[in-house]
Amino acid sequence: MPDLDPATTALLTVECQNGVVGEESALPELAKEARDSGMLERVAALAEAARGAGIQVLHAVAERRPDGRGANTNARLFRAAGKLPVRQISGTEAVRLAAPLAVAEQDLVVRRLHGLSPMAGTDLDALLRNLGVRTLVVTGVSSNIAIPNTVFDAVNLGYQVVVPADAIAGVPASCTAEVIRNSLALVATITTAEALLMRWAPAT
């Protein structure tokens, strides 16, 4: 496990927004898994503990303009998203963080209008480097697509990556375990939310 020095560590939540994992989600199966598994509560607890330990928290949000301008159409996923009853439109409730998560004053929010990863074509890498971050703790959804993309991009950019296995989710639930075992464990440090919470707990 990297040393998780607060000066060089950041916690990232990926697509933990109402339109993805909230009660009015465009992806109800994924939302149900994220909520029923306790993933959202663990991510919220990690964010709170990280702030208390002096670790920067960032939230990656996927959204699109009402006219879709600039959004990808080069994969079935993108075309299907444009037809869903709940759309991730900028400025709407769908792109706000889902409870129990909330944006604290010191948090940073990184929004993207295109692609599959919050690292590609956004401010995220520049923000992390300006903050002196070398280790990135990745949480959120989904283990099917966005989480692997985030981890691979971060590793390619030279970051140490830590993934708490019970603070990410995908569908079906078995997919998450397979992705961790066969892909993420090869490039990132796999841990649990509890282990991180113990590391970040205030000294008594």
Side-chain angles (χ1 to χ4, degrees):
M1 172 91 72
D3 64 9
L4 300 179
D5 178 355
T8 58
T9 301
L11 173 75
L12 178 69
T13 76
V14 178
E15 295 184 27
C16 291
Q17 59 202 72
N18 284 318
V20 177
V21 294
E23 293 183 2
E24 301 297 325
S25 170
L27 305 164
E29 187 179 359
L30 177 59
K32 185 176 189 304
E33 174 60 26
R35 304 187 82 84
D36 290 356
S37 67
M39 185 218 77
L40 275 177
E41 286 75 13
R42 284 188 284 273
V43 174
L46 285 169
E48 189 63 28
R51 295 181 194 110
I55 291 169
Q56 181 66 55
V57 176
L58 302 97
H59 307 283
V61 175
E63 56 184 55
R64 57 189 293 144
R65 289 166 49 109
D67 61 8
R69 190 175 298 274
N72 290 67
T73 58
N74 59 329
R76 187 175 68 178
L77 173 68
F78 300 124
R79 295 190 292 272
K83 300 174 184 177
L84 293 171
V86 178
R87 299 174 65 204
Q88 317 301 319
I89 303 299
S90 301
T92 67
E93 191 65 27
V95 299
R96 294 187 178 92
L97 292 191
L101 276 162
V103 180
E105 183 178 1
Q106 67 268 38
D107 294 357
L108 294 171
V109 179
V110 179
R111 304 182 183 279
R112 78 176 195 273
L113 292 172
H114 62 85
L116 299 170
S117 167
M119 273 282 184
T122 72
D123 293 335
L124 181 55
D125 180 42
L127 292 173
L128 293 172
R129 292 187 188 280
N130 288 345
L131 291 163
V133 171
R134 301 304 308 143
T135 300
L136 188 62
V137 180
V138 177
T139 67
V141 295
S142 72
S143 59
N144 305 78
I145 296 173
I147 295 297
N149 268 267
T150 305
V151 172
F152 297 149
D153 285 351
V155 170
N156 283 331
L157 289 167
Y159 294 95
Q160 292 277 343
V161 180
V162 175
V163 178
D166 53 354
I168 65 172
V171 289
S174 58
C175 173
T176 301
E178 291 298 321
V179 168
I180 290 170
R181 180 182 305 111
N182 297 309
S183 295
L184 301 187
L186 303 178
V187 296
T189 299
I190 307 302
T191 186
T192 64
E194 182 179 8
L196 290 176
L197 290 170
M198 290 178 65
R199 291 281 293 268
W200 296 341
T204 56

